[in-house]
Amino acid sequence: MASRDPRGTVRTAVVWDALTDALGGDVRDVIDLGGGTGGFAVRLAEAGHRVRVVDPSPDALAALARRSSELDLDVQGLQGDVIDLVDVVGSAGADAVLCHGVLEVVDPALALDHIAQVLRPGGLLSLVVAQRHAAVVARAMAGHFVDARALLDDRGAGGSRVGRRFTAPEITEMLADAGFAPATVRAVRVFTDLVPAALVDLESGAAAALADLERAVADRPEYLPLATQLHLLATRD
Ligand SMILES: C[S@@+](CC[C@H](N)C(=O)[O-])C[C@H]1O[C@@H](n2cnc3c(N)ncnc32)[C@H](O)[C@@H]1O
C-alpha cells in the first residue's frame, strides 16, 4: 500500500534501514529517549521489540498511547527527561537507546553520560542530530545572510528556536568523550528537504526513487556537510 506521507517515509528511510539492520533479528529492550509521539517506537514494537518511550511531554505521551493502542501494541510511555533517565527506566538497562532530535535542546554531554548509564555493555546508541552546514546554506538561500554567518561557527544553542546543531567531527568527538566506541556516521535528508513537496507527493514513483538516492549517498562522507541530519550508531564500551 502506498504511504499517505511519502516524504515522511523518505525522511526516515536511511535511519530506519540502518537501525533495524543494527538491531538484528532478536527481540531487544529499547528505550526511545525523547521519542515523542512514537514514530520510531511504534514501528520497533511492531517489529517485535520491547519499547519504552521517555519524554517530558504529557501530550506526546498521550498521542503515543492512542497510537499504540490502536495497533494493539504495548509501548510503555514514561514521563521523564535526560536528567532523570536513570531513575525513570531503572537499573535493568537496555540493549538499545534511541536519541533522535533531542541533543539539540539538552546538554549533550550530560545526555550522553546518562544514556551510557542505562545501556548494557555493548549496547547500541542510535543518535540523530541536526547538521550545521545544511542549516547555514538554507539560511543563506533564504536571504538571511547575517543569520547564516552567525550559525557558521556556532557550537552552542545560539538562541535558535530549534537549538544546537552539530558537524560530523564535533558529534563524533562528543561520543568518544562519553565512552562510546567509534560510530558510523550517515548523511540523512541530503535532498528531501530541498525538493518541492508536490514533486514527491504527486509524481508516481518519485518518493521511492528519492529514497533510493538518499540511501545511495548516506554512506558517502562527502555528503555529510550537505545533510539536514546525521545518524550515528555507536556502542557502549
Ligand atoms: C524534535 S522531537 C523528536 C521526536 C522523536 N525522537 C523523533 O525523532 O521524531 C524532540 C523530542 O524531545 C523531547 N524533549 C524535549 N526536551 C527533552 C528532555 N530534556 N529530555 C528528553 N526529551 C526531551 C520533546 O518532548 C520531543 O518529543
Side-chain angles (χ1 to χ4, degrees), residues 63-176:
L64 165 72
R66 279 194 301 276
R67 208 167 173 176
S68 53
S69 89
E70 275 165 22
L71 294 166
D72 208 16
L73 294 167
D74 184 21
V75 180
Q76 201 183 355
L78 300 165
Q79 191 167 7
D81 66 22
V82 294
I83 304 289
D84 56 11
L85 178 65
V86 184
D87 294 333
V88 168
V89 301
S91 57
D95 301 309
V97 172
L98 275 56
C99 181
H100 295 179
V102 179
L103 284 202
E104 292 83 348
V105 294
V106 299
D107 175 338
L110 184 78
L112 292 173
D113 178 52
H114 288 195
I115 290 168
Q117 290 182 49
V118 300
L119 267 180
R120 295 172 187 147
L124 180 78
L125 168 62
S126 173
L127 188 62
V128 175
V129 294
Q131 197 280 123
R132 194 158 68 236
H133 297 310
V136 172
V137 172
R139 286 184 187 202
M141 286 178 68
H144 304 308
F145 307 123
V146 174
D147 284 357
R149 179 64 188 90
L151 190 58
L152 189 60
D153 301 311
D154 183 6
R155 283 174 167 242
S160 146
R161 191 174 48 82
V162 291
R164 187 178 283 103
R165 293 180 174 84
F166 304 82
T167 65
E170 286 166 10
I171 190 64
T172 307
E173 188 184 327
M174 269 185 200
L175 276 177

Side-chain angles (χ1 to χ4, degrees), residues 5-15 188-189 192-193 229:
D5 179 15
R7 288 223 302 173
T9 306
V10 175
R11 278 196 191 97
T12 57
V14 163
V15 176
V188 177
R189 291 163 52 182
T192 305
D193 300 328
Q229 293 175 316

